[in-house]
Amino acid sequence: MYTKILIAVVLISSFAFPQLNDTTYSLSTELGVGYSRYFTTMDYDDLNQNGFSGTVRVMWNPEHLLSLGLESGYQYLYSLDVSDFSTEFGNTNVKASMYTIPIFIIFSMKVLPNIKLSAGSGVYLLFNSGELFGDELRSNQVSIGAHMGISYTYPLNNSMAIGGELLYSYFSKLQDQTVAIQFLFVYDLFRY
């Protein structure tokens, strides 16, 4: 019974999703810019969880569906600006912010001609800055993390495409996450 179902699935997929043209290997770059929202357990009224998100990917796209690449970028996580914050040492103005730079290995797969799923893992370089009692504070951390996304691209010609992407990111050190929506520009650097 299972053998018949497997044979039917293979036959249907080979006729329903044929390769319409000869594909080649390519090296492409993907640039994304957009809006991100930071989800955290911090509970401050003046916490700004909205920010800018930008990604740069270099992807190797072989003939089969699975692509491999490297990603980096920038993601603004949060800012906090509280006036007259009460502490045991007295009242002060508090300013704090955090952004991250991811360094990831990315896997992606086209599930339909214009729709791609991606997932990656690596490290987030976390950069914190702030001001408390008139003193400037800075710290850097490294966090393991992962993200996954779905993107839609519309080809402009054989080497360029534009579209959009929805990304979900998780930071293990903070146990927080972000959701980003980005405009995406894809350019094939070369094909071979």
Side-chain angles (χ1 to χ4, degrees):
M1 176 67 179
Y2 293 111
T3 307
K4 290 179 184 178
I5 293 173
L6 180 63
I7 290 171
V9 168
V10 169
L11 288 175
I12 289 171
S13 65
S14 65
F15 289 114
F17 304 111
Q19 230 171 345
L20 299 176
N21 54 11
D22 290 335
T23 58
T24 57
Y25 295 88
S26 71
L27 187 68
S28 65
T29 183
E30 301 177 9
L31 305 173
V33 293
Y35 164 81
S36 69
R37 175 76 177 174
Y38 181 61
F39 296 96
T40 181
T41 56
M42 289 191 291
D43 188 23
Y44 294 104
D45 292 336
D46 298 320
L47 183 67
N48 178 12
Q49 298 170 276
N50 304 312
F52 169 79
S53 175
T55 56
V56 176
R57 285 188 204 114
V58 176
M59 299 295 293
W60 176 62
N61 307 297
E63 289 180 336
H64 51 78
L65 297 175
L66 189 64
S67 299
L68 174 68
L70 296 174
E71 177 181 317
S72 189
Y74 175 89
Q75 196 168 38
Y76 191 81
L77 299 180
Y78 72 85
S79 64
L80 177 66
D81 192 356
V82 179
S83 298
D84 203 30
F85 184 72
S86 178
T87 70
E88 64 183 81
F89 303 110
N91 292 351
T92 184
N93 295 335
V94 176
K95 291 183 181 178
S97 65
M98 181 188 292
Y99 69 91
T100 183
I101 296 176
I103 302 172
F104 278 6
I105 294 176
I106 297 290
F107 297 93
S108 67
M109 177 182 279
K110 282 191 173 183
V111 292
L112 291 172
N114 295 349
I115 296 177
K116 187 169 34 172
L117 297 176
S118 62
S121 183
V123 296
Y124 285 103
L125 305 176
L126 302 169
F127 298 92
N128 304 291
S129 64
E131 186 178 315
L132 186 65
F133 290 105
D135 291 330
E136 214 175 278
L137 309 168
R138 294 199 184 280
S139 72
N140 303 329
Q141 299 175 352
V142 176
S143 175
I144 295 173
H147 77 196
M148 60 184 155
I150 184 168
S151 62
Y152 172 84
T153 54
Y154 179 79
L156 298 174
N157 57 34
N158 287 338
S159 61
M160 288 190 289
I162 59 171
E165 180 174 43
L166 181 65
L167 283 173
Y168 168 80
S169 303
Y170 176 76
F171 311 93
S172 66
K173 185 168 212 91
L174 304 173
Q175 297 185 349
D176 292 341
Q177 51 259 325
T178 62
V179 173
I181 187 163
Q182 299 189 133
F183 170 77
L184 197 60
F185 176 75
V186 180
Y187 181 74
D188 284 341
L189 298 172
F190 61 89
R191 294 177 180 266
Y192 59 98

